[in-house]
Amino acid sequence: MSFLKQVKMFLIAFGGVGVILLLRFLFTGSTKISPGSQNAIAANLDESTFTIVRLFLIGLEFLWLSFWAIFYIRLSMKATQPASEDTKKKIEAFEPKYFQLVAALLVLLLILSFAIPYIGGDEVEQFHNHTNDQPFDKQVNILAHQFYFEFDVNNNGTYVQSFSKDNPEVVLKTNVMYLFSMKTTDTTHGFGLYSPDGVLLGQNQIVPGYDNYYYFQFEKPGIYKVLCMEYCGAGHQVMVSYIQVV
Amino acid sequence: MSEKKHIEEAKDISLGYFITGGLVLAIAVLLGLLTRISQTGMLGNVPKLYYSLMTLHGMAAFVGWGCFTSIGLTWYVLVKTLDSPLHSPKLVKFIYWLFATGFVLLVVSVLFGNFGGSWVFLYPIAFYGYWDTWAATVWTLGVILAGVGIILYGLEILLTIRKAGYGFWAALGFESFKKDFDEMENRVPLPAVPFAVIGLGMIVATIPFAILLIYQFLELIGLINTRMDALLAKNMLWWFGHPVVYLILFPVVGFFYYVTEVYAGMKLIGERYAKLAWALATIVQNFIGAHHVYNDMAQAPWIHVWSQLGTYAIIIPSLISIFSITATIFISDFHWGVASQYMFTSLAFWLLAGMSGWVNATISLNIHIHNTLWVVAHFHVMALLALSTMIFGMGYHLITDYTEGDFNKNLASKALWTYVIGALGFTHFWFIQGLWGGIRRSYASTPENLTLLTYLSIPFMIIAVIGIWINVYVAFSAAFGKSKAAPAATASAS
């Protein structure tokens, strides 16, 4: 039997059985879970969320669109006629210069990408979270479980969960440098800190078997939100806690 | 006569892989649509359903569509561009059945066993899920089979190039360093170079991942009782997990080179610099996976810096290739057919996908978008608009060759615009949701105040699904619609 015929028979069999399995799965294969009351994820969009980063990224797309629009128009005007020998030679001669240009541009972007967070001054320096030897005022311990966070604000072994958005049990202060020291008791989780207006301020993975650190100083009061940033199982979406900053 | 026979055999094999991938894609996009719909609550409160669908959708799109098609079309392009037979057609067919068996196991694991660890199944989540241990075991076994297939794919490429009489280093692009490069007569054809690079890359990258998979498998069946270091496991996963994206991307660049040369009727310009860039890619491709763990602060910072340097370096082959292809189209008397239309569309979106990828690869920007829906938008633009358009383009070139141009070209062209409009629409809602902090791999639609975008994305997804189904229908009709007692030997376009 030819290879194509074998493939055809396999696809017919696989397709038939696959459809039956899929229908069975959709109707009976999944049990509902009750996510509880913590799945309300609030993020108030306002003008302050139009950060420079977002504007920059949206601008990139316009650049892309403009480039292809110009190229396409140019190509259409050329009406698929081969270019003159002169043009061909010019384009071929440009290749080494283009190579150098690309390399120089990437080196420039590389330098900028490492320098910007330090020049800005208002962000946590990007490599400080790897260790716990940077200066800080207060340590907050966090335990991540399937599917909730626990906070030990006073570093004395007393943990609270802080599920309530209206009345969070975790209360922290502005202008204090906190060291969040995080552990997980099961699988990998993520720590995502959101500002009161819904901006993702920073994040860190909470890897099993490791102490994971995150330095942060709150600049303004309000209700901050902590979400799990790594898929951790069926209740991943209900891992939400709140921090009140005064 | 024998030359004709080996080309015919390669066509059959490649077409078999391609249409299998097509069928899987038709299912995968349906699963993706259901996954997104389930986020709206229209199917009830069903987080487990969501996570299992998400898992199967990811693996079906990747192992099913991506691997079957990029690997499958490799054989045709290699044979045509090297003008030499495959090293072992039997091995190539064996690889197909390895993938097929592996994929069936993955389907059984999810649809029967409710496995839902996501397609990256970040260790040790397999042990902490809502699924049975046997489901995780079957899943792991399925991925192991696919891994073996990937290693054999790499070997077969290198052996086929060797059989055609080309040297190992030359095939990886290092012949560009030779002073007399321009005068060399027996240079490796440029379209073969990306295949050689990924062939070697996959052999190297799959080994650590295979060790992780075998460890997990032995743990699941109870032969090992010690948990592996989770950070080490994560690095083993991503050491493979990023280069495996190149398992699709690099062959696609090979397809670009091949299709451009055929439809332009000339060799690509800038061969030497393209090969120089590929030599660079050969070195750095296996050392950049750690950019997926920029937010793992438990990791030493120098690894992050090194990953960013490597990732920036690997942008060079993309930018050089885009320049060479664009310039070649511009200066040639380019022939516009179905295949080249798909190729040109792919070229445009390759740059967009690359730009959003550059954001992910930059440590200081990554912290704003890591594990947000921005990343989901990035890889869907890459997978659907950049890679799949080129894969369909290459597939249509093969179909043109196989059917002597006798297939539904009109429908194929319409399908392109249907799915491009659909995919462009729904991915951009993810870009916006991601920039505003919406989390990926979460049943909850976040941020909550942008939930409307989740609803708006669904009609675009349906348009994209229809476009893909039309493509798959055209491919199936061409492959099985008529008796091919004596298929054509040469490409009508070439």
Side-chain angles (χ1 to χ4, degrees):
Chain A
M1 192 187 296
S2 76
F3 180 67
L4 263 182
K5 277 188 181 164
Q6 289 173 22
V7 169
K8 187 177 181 178
M9 287 179 65
F10 166 69
L11 293 181
I12 291 167
F14 172 72
V17 176
V19 168
I20 295 166
L21 275 179
L22 182 62
L23 289 173
R24 175 196 167 274
F25 174 75
L26 287 175
F27 287 105
T28 62
S30 174
T31 356
K32 294 176 182 179
I33 72 157
S34 209
S37 60
Q38 300 86 37
N39 64 338
I41 294 166
N44 302 313
L45 185 66
D46 63 27
E47 290 304 311
S48 66
T49 60
F50 283 93
T51 61
I52 291 170
V53 171
R54 285 172 183 162
L55 285 175
F56 171 68
L57 297 177
I58 291 165
L60 271 181
E61 179 146 349
F62 282 106
L63 269 179
W64 163 78
L65 283 171
S66 312
F67 171 78
W68 285 103
I70 292 165
F71 182 69
Y72 187 75
I73 291 165
R74 187 84 180 80
L75 206 63
S76 308
M77 284 164 66
K78 196 166 77 77
T80 72
Q81 292 301 309
S84 67
E85 283 307 311
D86 252 14
T87 313
K88 282 183 187 174
K89 277 181 190 163
K90 275 182 194 166
I91 288 178
E92 285 190 40
F94 181 65
E95 179 90 5
K97 287 177 192 164
Y98 174 78
F99 194 95
Q100 290 160 12
L101 191 73
V102 163
L105 182 71
L106 287 173
V107 170
L108 182 69
L109 286 173
L110 201 61
I111 294 167
L112 279 175
S113 76
F114 285 120
I116 284 170
Y118 293 92
I119 296 166
D122 57 351
E123 293 203 34
V124 174
E125 292 182 7
Q126 57 193 322
F127 298 120
H128 281 187
N129 293 326
H130 291 267
T131 57
N132 63 346
D133 55 7
Q134 299 298 317
F136 63 91
D137 300 316
K138 201 169 177 194
Q139 180 169 336
V140 175
N141 300 314
I142 298 176
L143 278 181
H145 315 271
Q146 284 179 320
F147 299 102
Y148 59 97
F149 292 104
E150 288 190 303
F151 299 81
D152 170 17
V153 177
N154 297 314
N155 195 17
N156 62 2
T158 308
Y159 284 88
V160 293
Q161 295 180 346
S162 206
F163 286 155
S164 166
K165 185 186 176 187
D166 299 325
N167 191 21
E169 290 167 89
V170 174
V171 181
L172 302 179
K173 292 178 181 170
T174 55
N175 300 318
V176 172
M177 178 57 81
Y178 287 99
L179 167 64
F180 294 99
S181 177
M182 299 173 271
K183 286 183 180 175
T184 165
T185 57
D186 36 59
T187 189
T188 301
H189 296 277
F191 171 84
L193 183 64
Y194 284 73
S195 72
D197 53 14
V199 177
L200 176 57
L201 298 169
Q203 54 174 310
N204 195 353
Q205 293 273 300
I206 310 175
V207 184
Y210 286 85
D211 290 316
N212 307 273
Y213 304 112
Y214 184 72
Y215 291 87
F216 196 76
Q217 183 168 312
F218 296 94
E219 301 293 340
K220 56 180 183 181
I223 306 287
Y224 289 69
K225 189 172 56 178
V226 176
L227 293 179
C228 180
M229 296 294 291
E230 185 59 72
Y231 172 57
C232 56
H236 169 51
Q237 71 284 351
V238 303
M239 281 188 71
V240 189
S241 285
Y242 296 92
I243 297 174
Q244 179 161 20
V245 175
V246 292
Chain B
M1 190 66 191
S2 65
E3 183 188 62
K4 193 174 173 181
K5 192 180 168 192
H6 73 248
I7 290 175
E8 290 311 322
E9 186 170 35
K11 271 190 220 170
D12 270 13
I13 292 172
S14 289
L15 199 59
Y17 272 83
F18 178 66
I19 55 174
T20 306
L23 178 74
V24 175
L25 180 68
I27 299 166
V29 291
L30 182 66
L31 295 174
L33 177 64
L34 285 170
T35 309
R36 191 67 162 151
I37 289 173
S38 71
Q39 267 191 314
T40 63
M42 281 192 256
L43 303 179
N45 184 19
V46 285
K48 290 181 184 175
L49 182 83
Y50 169 84
Y51 292 120
S52 291
L53 282 174
M54 176 190 81
T55 300
L56 189 56
H57 163 71
M59 205 48 116
F62 189 80
V63 171
W65 164 245
C67 289
F68 269 119
T69 54
S70 68
I71 288 176
L73 293 168
T74 295
W75 313 126
Y76 172 77
V77 175
L78 267 187
V79 166
K80 292 282 281 188
T81 201
L82 296 171
D83 196 18
S84 170
L86 291 167
H87 163 259
S88 168
K90 277 187 185 168
L91 180 60
V92 169
K93 290 173 189 169
F94 177 68
I95 294 169
Y96 174 93
W97 291 112
L98 267 179
F99 274 106
T101 312
F103 188 64
V104 168
L105 290 179
L106 299 175
V107 170
V108 167
S109 161
V110 175
L111 297 187
F112 254 137
N114 288 337
F115 183 73
S118 95
W119 81 278
V120 295
F121 52 106
L122 200 60
Y123 185 90
I125 199 168
F127 305 92
Y128 289 100
Y130 53 87
W131 46 85
D132 292 331
T133 303
W134 75 260
T137 311
V138 169
W139 175 271
T140 309
L141 194 59
V143 183
I144 287 173
L145 291 184
V148 174
I150 289 171
I151 292 175
L152 293 176
Y153 165 71
L155 274 174
E156 174 64 22
I157 289 173
L158 296 177
L159 292 170
T160 298
I161 292 173
R162 183 82 187 151
K163 188 173 181 174
Y166 296 106
F168 177 71
W169 293 106
L172 296 170
F174 287 95
E175 66 182 359
S176 57
F177 290 102
K178 290 191 174 173
K179 281 184 182 171
D180 59 343
F181 178 84
D182 290 327
E183 287 76 45
M184 286 168 61
E185 285 185 0
N186 192 29
R187 295 201 297 258
V188 179
L190 183 57
V193 174
F195 298 108
V197 174
I198 197 58
L200 177 66
M202 279 297 99
I203 294 167
V204 175
T206 310
I207 291 168
F209 184 53
I211 293 169
L212 169 63
L213 286 172
I214 291 166
Y215 191 97
Q216 179 169 300
F217 179 76
L218 294 176
E219 215 181 329
L220 282 163
I221 61 173
L223 287 179
I224 291 180
N225 296 312
T226 312
R227 187 114 312 153
M228 184 186 270
D229 182 302
L231 190 57
L232 174 66
K234 209 170 187 180
N235 279 289
M236 289 164 99
L237 165 73
W238 288 116
W239 179 293
F240 165 83
H242 193 76
V244 82
V245 175
Y246 299 147
L247 173 65
I248 303 172
L249 181 60
F250 288 2
V252 159
V253 181
F255 305 157
F256 261 116
Y257 290 166
Y258 177 75
V259 170
T260 306
E261 289 190 351
V262 168
Y263 288 80
M266 62 178 280
K267 293 281 176 197
L268 274 175
I269 68 161
E271 179 188 344
R272 185 170 199 169
Y273 286 91
K275 285 185 173 171
L276 193 65
W278 284 111
L280 183 67
T282 303
I283 297 166
V284 297
Q285 64 174 326
N286 284 126
F287 300 101
I288 58 178
H291 70 212
H292 286 262
V293 289
Y294 279 160
N295 283 291
D296 287 62
M297 302 303 172
Q299 180 117 297
W302 70 264
I303 301 175
H304 295 195
V305 175
W306 166 251
S307 294
Q308 184 173 330
L309 291 171
T311 311
Y312 272 50
I314 213 152
I315 294 172
I316 292 175
S318 286
L319 291 177
I320 296 295
S321 298
I322 289 172
F323 175 83
S324 290
I325 295 162
T326 313
T328 305
I329 293 172
F330 189 73
I331 65 174
S332 69
D333 184 8
F334 199 74
H335 171 76
W336 292 101
V338 175
S340 49
Q341 279 173 16
Y342 273 78
M343 189 206 74
F344 189 78
T345 310
S346 169
L347 191 62
F349 288 108
W350 186 7
L351 202 61
L352 176 65
M355 277 178 1
S356 55
W358 165 74
V359 173
N360 309 343
T362 303
I363 295 169
S364 53
L365 296 176
N366 182 275
I367 198 163
H368 297 282
I369 49 84
H370 180 72
N371 273 356
T372 68
L373 290 165
W374 166 275
V375 183
V376 182
H378 156 68
F379 68 71
H380 275 83
V381 170
M382 179 58 92
L384 269 177
L385 291 166
L387 302 182
S388 293
T389 38
M390 185 63 235
I391 288 171
F392 275 124
M394 188 62 232
Y396 280 128
H397 178 74
L398 171 64
I399 287 169
T400 305
D401 194 353
Y402 185 77
T403 63
E404 297 178 284
D406 184 17
F407 70 101
N408 198 335
K409 297 185 196 73
N410 191 25
L411 198 55
S413 292
K414 283 180 181 154
L416 171 66
W417 295 111
T418 311
Y419 113 71
V420 163
I421 290 166
L424 199 57
F426 82 75
T427 51
H428 277 65
F429 292 115
W430 272 329
F431 272 128
I432 296 165
Q433 286 177 309
L435 283 178
W436 266 263
I439 299 175
R440 72 184 289 199
R441 296 196 193 111
S442 175
Y443 172 61
S445 174
T446 59
E448 198 177 52
N449 55 337
L450 294 182
T451 298
L452 176 66
L453 299 187
T454 303
Y455 283 90
L456 289 177
S457 69
I458 289 168
F460 285 97
M461 274 191 171
I462 293 170
I463 294 170
V465 168
I466 291 169
I468 285 167
W469 282 6
I470 295 172
N471 267 316
V472 174
Y473 167 75
V474 173
F476 263 69
S477 306
F480 296 132
K482 63 175 103 171
S483 169
K484 293 292 299 179
T490 53
S492 62
S494 58

